[in-house]
Amino acid sequence: MRTELFSDPQAGRLHVLGPVDQIPVGEGRAYGVAGEQVAVFRLRDGSLRAMSAVCPHKGGPIADGTIDRTVVVCPLHQHAFELETGCSTTGAGPLRSYPVFADESQNIIVRLP
Amino acid sequence: MTALASRSGRSTPGDTRRRLVVIGNGMAGARAVEEILARGGAVQHRITMFGDEPYGNYNRIMLSHVLSGEEDAGGIFLNSLDWYRENDITLHAGVRVDKIDRFAKLVFSDDGRATPYDVLIIATGSRSFMPPVEGLYTPGGRLLPGVFAFRTIDDTRGMVSYAQQDHRRRAVVIGGGLLGLEAARGLQSHGVDVDVVHSGGHLMNAQMGPDGGAVLRRSVEALGIRVHTSSRTTAILGGDRVRGVQLRDAPDIECDMVVVAAGIRPNVEVAVTSGLPVERAIVVDDHMRVPDEDEIYAVGECVQHRGEVYGLVAPLWEQAAVLADHVTGANPKATYLGSRTATKLKVAGVDVASMGLQAPERDTDEHVVFSEPSRGVFKSIVIRDSKIVGATLLGDSRKVAYLTQAFDRGLPLPEERVSLLFDLGGPGEEAGVAELDGDAQVCNCNGVSKQAITDTVRGGCTTLSGVMDATRAGKGCGSCKLLVRQVVEWAADGAVEEDPAAAYYVPGVPLEKAALMTAIREQGLRSVSAVFAALAPGGAEDAKSKMGLASLLKMMWAGEYIDERDARFVNDRVHANIQRDGTFSVVPQMKGGVTSPEQLRRIADVADKYNIPMVKLTGGQRIDLLGVPKEDLPRVWADLDMPSGYAYGKSFRTVKTCVGQEFCRFGTGDSTKLGIEIESRFQGIESPAKLKLAVSGCPRNCAESLVKDVGVVAVDGGRWEIYVGGAAGAHIRKGDLLATVDDPETVKLLAGRFMQYYRERANWLERTYSFVPRVGIEHLRAVIVDDAEGLAAQLDAAMQESVDAYVDPWAERNDPFTPGQFRTSLPLEVLPQVPVR
């Protein structure tokens, strides 16, 4: 996935990942962003969450996980991670979480440090 | 015979430790060694153990669960062979010790070995008592084929395999004590009719009086077990194998197998031969030492202490601790003064607790009794000088913890005696638990005290399952689970986190399945998000509940279901099974395991074209293409041009068949044709857990029909047997015979009706091997075959609706259901790959 770059020296770099519609409601999709694997989720209330896409437990594809409003559950061994913080609620190591939002033209913008 | 290490008891140069030899590798021997190791005994001792059975050490109490199929034989081992290795213990398994030379300090075993000792522990346990009954043995001195004792893991395995052979219809259990009733209940789960023949006047006469025995009899008979009391077995009938038993003063009973559970006798031969003091068992003093022998100890069921011989596990734990204190010198003042035996167990599904006296003995003894036979409840307490000296409780274990402690410690009793039997208007069961001392043992198998549980809860673990995992409480025989739950609830002071999965269909919606289905139907909830909005607390979604709800709604609404793909597990989103490296496996449908050269050619071409790393035959007679990246799935399906085999879902999977009468010279029915028809009809229907089926063309059962969720067997005369609830995976269970029918159409009808009933009634992820025994095969026969509840038409119609709603999911290849449905989510980094062969 090609990404565009904004420069914002104060708070890391903003990357445009394309239209929100690429992600079905309630699901996630994976993006390669500046060498990082990022899973972006579109919650049922329309808001977005972004976190690292590789499960720290056994490398499972987090973007294929099942979500609700607070956690994502990795499809391989059902470890759960808070969508806000990346902290595991089941004793695994944490995922990294990234700020993410949709701009006025409904593009996904994620901020990586 | 297995020797774990090549070294024998001979000293290794430089090893100055004392040589500790243990005769017996059962629960007592192993527990004694564990206690010794816990006191640092390995520093002083080099340990050698002899075990008669060719295994590590297992939990004998659990054999009844193995018999009933609730537990597999591997699951009851207490110490694996690794444990012996890790603790540097030399185990001679399958080796019997014949004699001890107490002057030369040598142990002689039947493998010709002489093993020197400095300290010796005898823990030879007991064996089944075989009463003098004519015909029990063959002329060669072996048990007649079909006769079993019930003592060892081999006995249990022997019973299971014998009971599961065809034409085994009826078993007689000799002995109506604890073990006999457990055997009877266990045998029933293999579809065998059971009679219990008991020489005593009432069941379990060692633990309770006649009134309790009568109530117990009612409960046992309600399970379908026939009971004959005051009946002595005089002969086993049948010359080559068991064909019946002869009773004194009663008609003969025809049967195919006999299980002898008429009590146990201590194994004392070694001690007798070696000149040690033996009365009813090997005599020991308060240090568990054999009198006049400084270095010989004995422990467990083979010992007699102060005139008592125990056959229960709790006294053994106490003895092992005292023994270890002396062997290691950890506490030279430790003494064993005998045990007050209180038993608390589940016999054939009935809670039984018994302690001390069964009935009053003196005129001044008080006797408090409550009996409610229709509910199977009986409570009796004997009181002397305001202290409990005996109690029997049947069918209601709520006051057991308190009564056990009052009995053990002689606690003062409430004036109002009835409150010993019931909690009257008080805070319920908690009072009983609150009264327990911290050091009171809650779990007798794993030795967990109330304090240990309380500490775990205070440490932040507030679910029952969490506490059980952390302390191992309730993980032995399981009979104390209720008490563990009560202690957890008490310790958490109301803040106990309910284990939602225990009762709810899914954890995020607080309703059991029936109530959930009613609510869904009444409110017309056709999507998973609608169910959360209407029924979940705060309308909150729950990720772990989505898949179960999606399955349920699809089953209930069929074509009217609103399919929200985010509710599906990834497998169901992309119609393939996710593998450890994030790739998928593709299994095309191959109905009845029958394929063609064209299909095979196409599969081979696909495997070449997409560089499929592994092509594997599955257990369900299909071909699995492993290691397919998500983005390749649509093209792989298109090139295969075969429908999905549903090898990924909680759904109807496959029908395994044998070649049947078309080719097989033994075949009696066209099994492949019926298998293909069943698979064509029920392909892809979702269910609470996966459904694996089979059709065999004759009772040789080459398609393994007896261990399938639904298994069909053609029998001579053009008839078909339908078995349900079988399994041969993590759990092994022979299916129960649902019906024998005359034609393939009826097979399809009843199989469909059973599967629909299962879909509507089973808990999420509950396989048929749990569901069938839970609801009972008699009930299933009544509902499905006899239509006793008038549900048949409705079940058939609901199943038909699901069948009609079938669409091959692989058709989505040309028209993805969601954007990016098949886009890779694979992390691009190197991951542990499935090895390519």
Side-chain angles (χ1 to χ4, degrees):
Chain A
M1 183 72 25
R2 208 171 56 82
T3 63
E4 291 172 41
L5 211 64
F6 284 74
S7 72
D8 182 351
Q10 289 297 308
R13 292 165 177 225
L14 297 178
H15 300 261
V16 181
L17 305 186
V20 166
D21 293 350
Q22 295 172 65
I23 309 178
V25 171
E27 293 191 40
R29 292 288 180 258
Y31 297 84
V33 186
E36 299 283 323
Q37 312 284 320
V38 179
V40 181
F41 296 96
R42 185 175 175 197
L43 275 51
R44 283 207 152 259
D45 64 6
S47 64
L48 298 173
R49 302 285 185 277
M51 51 221 312
S52 40
V54 186
C55 181
H57 173 230
K58 294 266 169 131
I62 292 295
D64 279 341
T66 312
I67 62 165
D68 53 31
R69 257 175 253 170
T70 54
V71 296
V72 55
V73 180
C74 175
L76 288 196
H77 305 98
Q78 279 68 52
H79 274 295
F81 303 88
E82 288 177 1
L83 290 164
E84 290 285 352
T85 64
C87 292
S88 173
T89 59
T90 50
L95 288 170
R96 197 157 179 173
S97 69
Y98 303 104
V100 65
F101 58 93
D103 67 8
E104 307 84 57
S105 43
Q106 290 300 298
N107 278 314
I108 303 164
I109 314 288
V110 65
R111 189 196 309 272
L112 262 65
Chain B
M1 131 182 7
T2 321
L4 266 189
S6 56
R7 69 200 157 79
S8 70
R10 278 183 288 277
S11 351
T12 318
D15 191 341
T16 57
R17 292 179 296 171
R18 298 204 297 169
R19 293 162 299 194
L20 172 67
V21 172
V22 183
I23 305 174
N25 184 35
M27 297 180 78
R31 180 68 167 222
V33 169
E34 283 179 347
E35 295 280 358
I36 288 167
L37 293 174
R39 288 161 178 74
V43 179
Q44 314 158 325
H45 299 97
R46 200 169 61 249
I47 304 172
T48 302
M49 299 184 75
F50 286 88
D52 209 359
E53 295 181 64
Y55 309 110
N57 166 253
Y58 59 87
N59 186 343
R60 212 179 288 287
I61 301 168
M62 296 295 277
L63 286 177
S64 55
H65 295 239
V66 175
L67 179 61
S68 66
E70 290 161 64
E71 189 83 34
D72 67 35
I76 66 165
F77 277 87
L78 295 170
N79 295 114
S80 67
L81 294 177
D82 284 342
W83 177 82
Y84 296 89
R85 215 171 282 128
E86 281 156 20
N87 287 292
D88 197 23
I89 296 165
T90 307
L91 170 66
H92 300 294
V95 180
R96 176 192 292 268
V97 169
D98 296 323
K99 191 172 179 347
I100 303 155
D101 183 335
R102 35 202 252 274
F103 306 104
K105 294 197 169 182
L106 286 170
V107 161
F108 297 95
S109 45
D110 65 358
D111 56 347
R113 191 189 300 262
T115 308
Y117 67 83
D118 298 305
V119 183
L120 182 66
I121 297 174
I122 303 173
T124 44
S126 311
R127 61 168 181 278
S128 301
F129 168 62
M130 301 308 261
V133 170
E134 201 180 310
L136 198 58
Y137 297 94
T138 63
R142 305 174 66 97
L143 282 175
L144 187 68
V147 177
F148 295 90
F150 187 20
R151 174 73 188 171
T152 66
I153 210 161
D154 287 342
D155 293 339
T156 312
R157 284 179 173 146
M159 273 193 262
V160 169
S161 68
Y162 198 84
Q164 289 187 343
Q165 286 175 45
D166 290 326
H167 321 304
R168 305 285 186 237
R169 299 279 180 247
R170 195 159 175 193
V172 168
V173 175
I174 300 179
L178 162 62
L179 203 59
L181 294 178
E182 288 286 1
R185 185 63 173 153
L187 286 170
Q188 268 196 319
S189 66
H190 298 289
V192 179
D193 270 357
V194 186
D195 289 67
V196 171
V197 175
H198 186 51
S199 60
H202 60 271
L203 294 175
M204 282 185 76
N205 51 334
Q207 282 84 15
M208 63 183 74
D211 298 339
V215 173
L216 179 61
R217 176 182 186 137
R218 226 181 124 119
S219 303
V220 167
E221 285 176 336
L223 298 168
I225 296 169
R226 282 179 293 271
V227 176
H228 313 261
T229 48
S230 305
S231 282
R232 194 172 285 278
T233 311
T234 50
I236 311 287
L237 306 173
D240 55 335
R241 63 169 182 86
V242 172
R243 295 176 192 280
V245 298
Q246 187 182 69
L247 305 182
R248 194 184 57 197
D249 309 329
D252 297 351
I253 303 174
E254 269 183 45
C255 63
D256 310 297
M257 65 189 291
V258 169
V259 175
V260 182
I264 54 173
R265 294 291 180 271
N267 288 321
V268 297
E269 288 73 12
V270 173
V272 171
T273 317
S274 311
L276 297 174
V278 174
E279 290 170 8
R280 288 163 57 218
I282 304 167
V283 177
V284 293
D285 63 18
D286 291 352
H287 295 176
M288 303 311 296
R289 212 175 261 149
V290 176
D292 303 324
E293 299 289 340
D294 285 346
E295 304 301 350
I296 302 181
Y297 296 81
V299 64
E301 291 179 350
C302 66
V303 310
Q304 173 183 331
H305 171 265
R306 295 194 180 188
E308 287 287 337
V309 179
Y310 299 96
L312 295 167
V313 77
L316 177 166
W317 296 160
E318 297 169 28
Q319 294 173 354
V322 172
L323 178 149
D325 278 339
H326 288 283
V327 168
T328 59
N331 176 10
K333 291 191 181 142
T335 49
Y336 175 69
L337 301 173
S339 299
R340 305 193 72 172
T341 53
T343 50
K344 177 185 69 178
L345 27 89
K346 239 188 169 60
V347 185
V350 181
D351 282 311
V352 177
S354 122
M355 57 201 88
L357 300 182
Q358 297 175 359
E361 288 179 342
R362 300 180 190 167
D363 291 346
T364 51
D365 289 348
E366 290 175 56
H367 195 196
V368 185
V369 184
F370 173 81
S371 178
E372 192 181 356
S374 62
R375 278 204 313 133
V377 174
F378 176 82
K379 303 180 179 197
S380 140
I381 296 175
V382 185
I383 300 166
R384 180 176 300 165
D385 302 331
S386 280
K387 293 193 171 96
I388 294 182
V389 291
T392 305
L393 292 104
L394 260 180
D396 177 359
S397 60
R398 276 177 293 182
K399 292 296 275 185
V400 170
Y402 166 70
L403 290 172
T404 307
Q405 199 187 7
F407 170 75
D408 273 347
R409 288 155 205 248
L411 298 182
L413 301 180
E415 286 297 318
E416 198 181 9
R417 302 295 198 220
V418 70
S419 62
L420 290 168
L421 299 179
F422 304 100
D423 293 307
L424 298 172
E429 291 141 20
E430 292 156 26
V433 172
E435 289 155 13
L436 282 180
D437 275 2
D439 58 355
Q441 187 153 291
V442 174
C443 171
N444 291 326
C445 290
N446 293 322
V448 184
S449 66
K450 176 184 166 191
Q451 191 64 48
I453 294 176
T454 313
D455 291 347
T456 308
V457 173
R458 306 246 154 98
C461 189
T462 51
T463 63
L464 176 63
S465 51
V467 170
M468 286 173 57
D469 285 341
T471 61
R472 295 174 67 218
K475 297 221 150 188
C477 70
S479 64
C480 64
K481 258 188 215 164
L482 178 65
L483 181 57
V484 176
R485 165 181 278 279
Q486 290 169 2
V487 174
V488 170
E489 284 166 356
W490 171 80
D493 204 15
V496 73
E497 287 167 40
E498 198 43 51
D499 301 324
Y504 305 157
Y505 173 71
V506 287
V509 180
L511 291 170
E512 290 180 25
K513 183 165 182 172
L516 176 61
M517 286 174 67
T518 306
I520 287 170
R521 206 170 281 123
E522 282 174 357
Q523 300 181 39
L525 306 171
R526 286 177 167 74
S527 71
V528 172
S529 61
V531 172
F532 283 128
L535 304 176
E541 289 177 81
D542 175 52
K544 291 192 170 166
S545 303
K546 284 183 162 184
M547 188 184 180
L549 289 174
S551 166
L552 183 70
L553 291 172
K554 180 81 194 297
M555 186 270 288
M556 291 178 65
W557 297 110
E560 295 172 66
Y561 167 58
I562 300 169
D563 184 6
E564 293 168 342
R565 288 298 171 102
D566 65 303
R568 297 185 175 201
F569 183 58
V570 64
N571 283 5
D572 299 313
R573 290 183 197 164
V574 303
H575 320 300
N577 196 351
I578 192 165
Q579 305 293 308
R580 60 183 295 176
D581 61 354
T583 64
F584 291 83
S585 87
V586 171
V587 180
Q589 186 179 57
M590 208 168 264
K591 288 177 186 170
V594 178
T595 181
S596 66
E598 290 73 30
Q599 280 189 342
L600 292 173
R601 238 175 246 122
R602 252 179 288 149
I603 291 169
D605 288 343
V606 165
D608 270 345
K609 180 173 173 187
Y610 294 93
N611 288 316
I612 304 291
M614 186 192 270
V615 182
K616 168 104 184 53
L617 300 184
T618 70
Q621 298 185 334
R622 306 188 292 182
I623 294 177
D624 194 350
L625 306 173
L626 289 136
V628 182
K630 199 204 275 178
E631 58 274 28
D632 283 350
L633 289 172
R635 282 177 293 144
V636 167
W637 297 335
D639 288 350
L640 284 172
D641 196 23
M642 293 165 72
S644 168
Y646 278 95
Y648 43 81
K650 302 300 174 203
S651 62
F652 178 98
R653 290 283 183 91
T654 173
V655 182
K656 187 171 181 169
T657 68
C658 68
V659 292
Q661 73 186 156
E662 273 197 298
F663 288 93
C664 177
R665 65 184 194 283
F666 301 116
T668 57
D670 193 344
S671 47
T672 44
K673 177 162 178 278
L674 178 54
I676 290 169
E677 285 174 9
I678 292 176
E679 190 158 349
S680 304
R681 175 160 175 76
F682 301 111
Q683 54 191 348
I685 61 157
E686 50 294 306
S687 52
K690 62 190 170 189
L691 286 166
K692 295 179 168 182
L693 284 75
V695 182
S696 294
C698 80
R700 282 176 184 74
N701 250 313
C702 295
E704 297 158 353
S705 300
L706 297 188
V707 289
K708 297 294 177 190
D709 295 290
V710 178
V712 181
V713 184
V715 292
D716 205 25
R719 290 165 66 81
W720 301 85
E721 291 179 335
I722 307 172
Y723 291 86
V724 295
H731 188 96
I732 307 221
R733 182 175 192 274
K734 182 190 173 195
D736 295 323
L737 182 64
L738 179 70
T740 306
V741 301
D742 291 326
D743 59 276
E745 287 311 311
T746 315
V747 171
K748 283 185 273 179
L749 180 72
L750 293 186
R753 201 180 285 166
F754 166 74
M755 286 191 279
Q756 184 62 26
Y757 191 70
Y758 165 70
R759 296 169 83 201
E760 294 183 8
R761 306 299 162 106
N763 295 320
W764 176 235
L765 302 183
E766 181 182 34
R767 291 288 303 268
T768 62
Y769 65 69
S770 304
F771 173 76
V772 169
R774 175 164 70 81
V775 301
I777 187 65
E778 296 80 11
H779 175 74
L780 287 171
R781 272 189 213 123
V783 171
I784 289 163
V785 185
D786 307 329
D787 194 15
E789 296 183 2
L791 292 173
Q794 184 188 323
L795 291 169
D796 296 346
M799 180 50 96
Q800 188 60 45
E801 207 177 325
S802 290
V803 167
D804 293 341
Y806 167 78
V807 181
D808 174 24
W810 286 1
E812 281 172 17
R813 58 184 173 247
N814 298 322
D815 183 15
F817 195 90
T818 57
Q821 184 179 359
F822 300 107
R823 208 174 88 194
T824 182
S825 296
L826 261 190
L828 304 177
E829 295 150 23
V830 180
L831 292 170
Q833 298 286 323
V834 176
V836 177
R837 286 175 222 274

